[in-house]
Structures are given as structure tokens and as C-alpha cells.
Short mmCIF file of all heavy atoms in Angstrom, two decimals:
data_model
loop_
_atom_site.label_atom_id
_atom_site.label_comp_id
_atom_site.label_asym_id
_atom_site.label_seq_id
_atom_site.Cartn_x
_atom_site.Cartn_y
_atom_site.Cartn_z
N SER V 1 4.99 -13.40 -3.70
CA SER V 1 3.75 -12.81 -4.15
C SER V 1 3.14 -11.95 -3.05
O SER V 1 2.61 -10.87 -3.30
CB SER V 1 2.75 -13.91 -4.56
OG SER V 1 3.27 -14.68 -5.62
N LYS V 2 3.23 -12.41 -1.81
CA LYS V 2 2.66 -11.66 -0.70
C LYS V 2 3.36 -10.32 -0.55
O LYS V 2 2.73 -9.29 -0.35
CB LYS V 2 2.77 -12.46 0.60
CG LYS V 2 2.06 -11.80 1.77
CD LYS V 2 2.10 -12.69 2.99
CE LYS V 2 1.35 -12.03 4.16
NZ LYS V 2 1.37 -12.87 5.35
N LYS V 3 4.68 -10.31 -0.67
CA LYS V 3 5.41 -9.06 -0.57
C LYS V 3 5.04 -8.12 -1.70
O LYS V 3 4.96 -6.91 -1.50
CB LYS V 3 6.92 -9.33 -0.59
CG LYS V 3 7.44 -10.03 0.67
CD LYS V 3 8.92 -10.26 0.55
CE LYS V 3 9.46 -10.98 1.80
NZ LYS V 3 10.90 -11.26 1.69
N SER V 4 4.82 -8.64 -2.89
CA SER V 4 4.58 -7.80 -4.05
C SER V 4 3.22 -7.14 -4.01
O SER V 4 2.99 -6.19 -4.74
CB SER V 4 4.71 -8.63 -5.33
OG SER V 4 3.67 -9.58 -5.42
N VAL V 5 2.31 -7.61 -3.18
CA VAL V 5 0.98 -7.02 -3.14
C VAL V 5 0.73 -6.26 -1.84
O VAL V 5 -0.38 -5.93 -1.51
CB VAL V 5 -0.12 -8.09 -3.31
CG1 VAL V 5 0.00 -8.77 -4.64
CG2 VAL V 5 -0.08 -9.12 -2.18
N THR V 6 1.81 -5.97 -1.10
CA THR V 6 1.65 -5.25 0.15
C THR V 6 2.26 -3.86 0.04
O THR V 6 3.42 -3.72 -0.30
CB THR V 6 2.32 -6.01 1.31
OG1 THR V 6 1.76 -7.32 1.37
CG2 THR V 6 2.09 -5.31 2.63
N ALA V 7 1.46 -2.85 0.30
CA ALA V 7 1.97 -1.48 0.32
C ALA V 7 1.81 -0.94 1.73
O ALA V 7 0.72 -0.92 2.27
CB ALA V 7 1.19 -0.61 -0.66
N THR V 8 2.90 -0.51 2.34
CA THR V 8 2.86 -0.04 3.72
C THR V 8 3.26 1.42 3.80
O THR V 8 4.16 1.87 3.09
CB THR V 8 3.82 -0.88 4.59
OG1 THR V 8 3.51 -2.26 4.43
CG2 THR V 8 3.69 -0.51 6.06
N ALA V 9 2.59 2.16 4.65
CA ALA V 9 2.92 3.57 4.83
C ALA V 9 4.32 3.71 5.39
O ALA V 9 4.69 3.03 6.34
CB ALA V 9 1.92 4.22 5.77
N THR V 10 5.14 4.60 4.80
CA THR V 10 6.50 4.80 5.27
C THR V 10 6.75 6.23 5.73
O THR V 10 7.80 6.53 6.28
CB THR V 10 7.51 4.46 4.15
OG1 THR V 10 7.20 5.26 3.00
CG2 THR V 10 7.42 3.00 3.76
N ALA V 11 5.79 7.13 5.49
CA ALA V 11 5.97 8.52 5.90
C ALA V 11 5.82 8.66 7.41
O ALA V 11 5.34 7.76 8.09
CB ALA V 11 4.95 9.39 5.18
N GLY V 12 6.22 9.83 7.93
CA GLY V 12 6.09 10.07 9.36
C GLY V 12 4.63 10.08 9.77
O GLY V 12 3.76 10.48 9.00
N ARG V 13 4.33 9.65 11.01
CA ARG V 13 2.94 9.54 11.46
C ARG V 13 2.66 10.47 12.61
O ARG V 13 3.54 10.89 13.33
CB ARG V 13 2.65 8.09 11.88
CG ARG V 13 2.70 7.11 10.73
CD ARG V 13 2.49 5.69 11.25
NE ARG V 13 3.68 5.22 11.95
CZ ARG V 13 3.65 4.59 13.12
NH1 ARG V 13 2.51 4.36 13.72
NH2 ARG V 13 4.75 4.17 13.69
N TYR V 14 1.38 10.78 12.78
CA TYR V 14 0.97 11.55 13.95
C TYR V 14 1.17 10.70 15.19
O TYR V 14 0.98 9.48 15.15
CB TYR V 14 -0.51 11.94 13.83
CG TYR V 14 -0.79 13.11 12.93
CD1 TYR V 14 -1.02 12.94 11.58
CD2 TYR V 14 -0.82 14.39 13.45
CE1 TYR V 14 -1.28 14.02 10.76
CE2 TYR V 14 -1.09 15.48 12.63
CZ TYR V 14 -1.31 15.29 11.29
OH TYR V 14 -1.57 16.35 10.48
N PRO V 15 1.51 11.29 16.31
CA PRO V 15 1.63 10.51 17.56
C PRO V 15 0.32 9.82 17.91
O PRO V 15 -0.74 10.45 17.90
CB PRO V 15 1.98 11.59 18.59
CG PRO V 15 2.59 12.70 17.80
CD PRO V 15 1.88 12.69 16.48
N GLY V 16 0.40 8.54 18.15
CA GLY V 16 -0.80 7.80 18.54
C GLY V 16 -1.60 7.25 17.38
O GLY V 16 -2.53 6.46 17.58
N VAL V 17 -1.26 7.62 16.15
CA VAL V 17 -1.98 7.09 14.99
C VAL V 17 -1.32 5.79 14.58
O VAL V 17 -0.12 5.75 14.30
CB VAL V 17 -1.95 8.08 13.82
CG1 VAL V 17 -2.62 7.48 12.60
CG2 VAL V 17 -2.65 9.39 14.20
N PRO V 18 -2.05 4.69 14.56
CA PRO V 18 -1.44 3.40 14.25
C PRO V 18 -0.97 3.31 12.80
O PRO V 18 -1.49 3.98 11.93
CB PRO V 18 -2.59 2.40 14.50
CG PRO V 18 -3.83 3.21 14.30
CD PRO V 18 -3.50 4.58 14.80
N LYS V 19 0.05 2.50 12.60
CA LYS V 19 0.56 2.25 11.27
C LYS V 19 -0.53 1.58 10.45
O LYS V 19 -1.22 0.69 10.92
CB LYS V 19 1.79 1.34 11.35
CG LYS V 19 2.47 1.04 10.04
CD LYS V 19 3.68 0.17 10.29
CE LYS V 19 4.42 -0.14 9.00
NZ LYS V 19 5.60 -1.01 9.25
N GLN V 20 -0.69 2.01 9.21
CA GLN V 20 -1.74 1.46 8.35
C GLN V 20 -1.12 0.70 7.19
O GLN V 20 -0.15 1.13 6.59
CB GLN V 20 -2.66 2.56 7.83
CG GLN V 20 -3.48 3.22 8.94
CD GLN V 20 -4.43 4.27 8.40
OE1 GLN V 20 -4.03 5.20 7.74
NE2 GLN V 20 -5.71 4.10 8.69
N GLU V 21 -1.69 -0.43 6.92
CA GLU V 21 -1.18 -1.32 5.86
C GLU V 21 -2.33 -1.75 4.97
O GLU V 21 -3.43 -1.99 5.46
CB GLU V 21 -0.49 -2.53 6.48
CG GLU V 21 0.18 -3.44 5.47
CD GLU V 21 0.89 -4.59 6.16
OE1 GLU V 21 0.21 -5.61 6.40
OE2 GLU V 21 2.09 -4.47 6.46
N VAL V 22 -2.07 -1.83 3.69
CA VAL V 22 -3.10 -2.23 2.74
C VAL V 22 -2.55 -3.36 1.87
O VAL V 22 -1.44 -3.27 1.35
CB VAL V 22 -3.53 -1.05 1.84
CG1 VAL V 22 -4.43 -1.53 0.72
CG2 VAL V 22 -4.25 0.01 2.67
N ILE V 23 -3.33 -4.41 1.74
CA ILE V 23 -2.98 -5.51 0.84
C ILE V 23 -3.62 -5.22 -0.51
O ILE V 23 -4.84 -5.17 -0.63
CB ILE V 23 -3.48 -6.87 1.38
CG1 ILE V 23 -2.94 -7.10 2.80
CG2 ILE V 23 -3.04 -8.00 0.45
CD1 ILE V 23 -1.44 -7.15 2.89
N LEU V 24 -2.80 -5.01 -1.51
CA LEU V 24 -3.33 -4.69 -2.82
C LEU V 24 -3.97 -5.93 -3.46
O LEU V 24 -3.43 -7.02 -3.39
CB LEU V 24 -2.22 -4.17 -3.74
CG LEU V 24 -1.47 -2.93 -3.26
CD1 LEU V 24 -0.50 -2.48 -4.33
CD2 LEU V 24 -2.43 -1.81 -2.93
N GLU V 25 -5.10 -5.72 -4.08
CA GLU V 25 -5.77 -6.82 -4.77
C GLU V 25 -4.94 -7.22 -5.99
O GLU V 25 -4.37 -6.36 -6.67
CB GLU V 25 -7.17 -6.39 -5.20
CG GLU V 25 -8.08 -6.03 -4.04
CD GLU V 25 -9.40 -5.43 -4.50
OE1 GLU V 25 -9.60 -5.35 -5.73
OE2 GLU V 25 -10.21 -5.05 -3.65
N PRO V 26 -4.84 -8.52 -6.27
CA PRO V 26 -4.03 -8.98 -7.41
C PRO V 26 -4.46 -8.37 -8.74
O PRO V 26 -3.66 -8.26 -9.66
CB PRO V 26 -4.26 -10.50 -7.40
CG PRO V 26 -4.65 -10.82 -6.01
CD PRO V 26 -5.42 -9.64 -5.51
N SER V 27 -5.73 -7.97 -8.84
CA SER V 27 -6.24 -7.42 -10.10
C SER V 27 -5.73 -6.00 -10.35
O SER V 27 -5.86 -5.48 -11.46
CB SER V 27 -7.77 -7.42 -10.10
OG SER V 27 -8.27 -6.65 -9.02
N ILE V 28 -5.16 -5.33 -9.32
CA ILE V 28 -4.65 -3.98 -9.48
C ILE V 28 -3.27 -4.06 -10.13
O ILE V 28 -2.31 -4.53 -9.52
CB ILE V 28 -4.56 -3.25 -8.13
CG1 ILE V 28 -5.93 -3.21 -7.45
CG2 ILE V 28 -4.03 -1.83 -8.33
CD1 ILE V 28 -5.90 -2.60 -6.06
N LYS V 29 -3.17 -3.59 -11.36
CA LYS V 29 -1.92 -3.74 -12.10
C LYS V 29 -1.57 -2.43 -12.80
O LYS V 29 -2.36 -1.49 -12.86
CB LYS V 29 -2.04 -4.87 -13.13
CG LYS V 29 -2.31 -6.23 -12.52
CD LYS V 29 -2.45 -7.30 -13.60
CE LYS V 29 -2.73 -8.66 -12.99
NZ LYS V 29 -2.90 -9.72 -14.02
N GLY V 30 -0.37 -2.39 -13.33
CA GLY V 30 0.06 -1.28 -14.17
C GLY V 30 0.00 0.08 -13.49
O GLY V 30 0.43 0.26 -12.35
N GLU V 31 -0.58 1.05 -14.19
CA GLU V 31 -0.63 2.43 -13.72
C GLU V 31 -1.42 2.54 -12.42
O GLU V 31 -1.05 3.29 -11.51
CB GLU V 31 -1.27 3.31 -14.79
CG GLU V 31 -1.28 4.79 -14.45
CD GLU V 31 -1.85 5.64 -15.57
OE1 GLU V 31 -2.27 5.06 -16.60
OE2 GLU V 31 -1.88 6.88 -15.43
N ARG V 32 -2.51 1.79 -12.30
CA ARG V 32 -3.32 1.86 -11.09
C ARG V 32 -2.55 1.35 -9.88
O ARG V 32 -2.67 1.88 -8.78
CB ARG V 32 -4.62 1.09 -11.29
CG ARG V 32 -5.54 1.72 -12.32
CD ARG V 32 -6.88 1.02 -12.43
NE ARG V 32 -7.72 1.68 -13.40
CZ ARG V 32 -8.46 2.76 -13.16
NH1 ARG V 32 -8.46 3.27 -11.94
NH2 ARG V 32 -9.19 3.32 -14.09
N ARG V 33 -1.77 0.34 -10.08
CA ARG V 33 -0.95 -0.19 -8.99
C ARG V 33 0.09 0.85 -8.56
O ARG V 33 0.34 1.05 -7.36
CB ARG V 33 -0.28 -1.48 -9.43
CG ARG V 33 0.41 -2.23 -8.30
CD ARG V 33 1.09 -3.50 -8.84
NE ARG V 33 1.54 -4.32 -7.74
CZ ARG V 33 0.79 -5.23 -7.12
NH1 ARG V 33 -0.47 -5.39 -7.49
NH2 ARG V 33 1.26 -5.95 -6.14
N ASP V 34 0.70 1.53 -9.53
CA ASP V 34 1.68 2.56 -9.23
C ASP V 34 1.06 3.69 -8.41
O ASP V 34 1.69 4.23 -7.49
CB ASP V 34 2.27 3.13 -10.53
CG ASP V 34 3.08 2.10 -11.31
OD1 ASP V 34 3.53 1.11 -10.69
OD2 ASP V 34 3.26 2.29 -12.52
N LEU V 35 -0.17 4.07 -8.76
CA LEU V 35 -0.86 5.14 -8.05
C LEU V 35 -1.10 4.77 -6.58
O LEU V 35 -0.86 5.57 -5.67
CB LEU V 35 -2.19 5.45 -8.74
CG LEU V 35 -2.10 6.16 -10.08
CD1 LEU V 35 -3.44 6.09 -10.82
CD2 LEU V 35 -1.68 7.62 -9.89
N VAL V 36 -1.58 3.54 -6.35
CA VAL V 36 -1.86 3.10 -4.98
C VAL V 36 -0.58 3.01 -4.17
O VAL V 36 -0.51 3.45 -3.01
CB VAL V 36 -2.62 1.75 -4.97
CG1 VAL V 36 -2.79 1.25 -3.55
CG2 VAL V 36 -3.98 1.91 -5.64
N GLN V 37 0.46 2.45 -4.76
CA GLN V 37 1.72 2.31 -4.04
C GLN V 37 2.31 3.68 -3.70
O GLN V 37 2.89 3.87 -2.63
CB GLN V 37 2.71 1.48 -4.87
CG GLN V 37 2.32 0.01 -4.95
CD GLN V 37 3.27 -0.80 -5.80
OE1 GLN V 37 3.82 -0.29 -6.78
NE2 GLN V 37 3.47 -2.05 -5.46
N GLU V 38 2.15 4.64 -4.59
CA GLU V 38 2.67 5.99 -4.34
C GLU V 38 1.90 6.67 -3.22
O GLU V 38 2.50 7.23 -2.29
CB GLU V 38 2.58 6.83 -5.62
CG GLU V 38 2.90 8.32 -5.44
CD GLU V 38 4.32 8.60 -4.97
OE1 GLU V 38 5.21 7.77 -5.24
OE2 GLU V 38 4.53 9.65 -4.33
#
């Protein structure tokens, strides 16, 4: 479940900009979840 609600940035980053991670709320489902993950 923890893995399924975690979306992590995978694109290239600016030098010095920390990796950003967001834990998706369980209530975010369907199309809205797809939008956030994208």
C-alpha cells in the first residue's frame, strides 16, 4: 500500500535542487491519481 501511494520525481533535476517526493492521499483515485502521478 505504501508503494502504491508514493509518486517520486524521475525527471532530470537542476544541480543542487533536492529530490522531491509526494505521498498521495488514499482518497486520490482514478483519473485524478493518474494526473498527479504523471
Side-chain angles (χ1 to χ4, degrees):
S1 299
K2 186 175 181 180
K3 290 179 181 178
S4 67
V5 298
T6 303
T8 307
T10 57
R13 294 176 287 135
Y14 281 89
V17 177
K19 183 178 181 181
Q20 293 183 304
E21 185 177 87
V22 171
I23 305 298
L24 302 185
E25 298 172 2
S27 59
I28 302 175
K29 299 178 180 179
E31 185 177 2
R32 293 185 179 277
R33 190 181 190 86
D34 294 339
L35 288 165
V36 175
Q37 289 178 327
E38 171 63 26

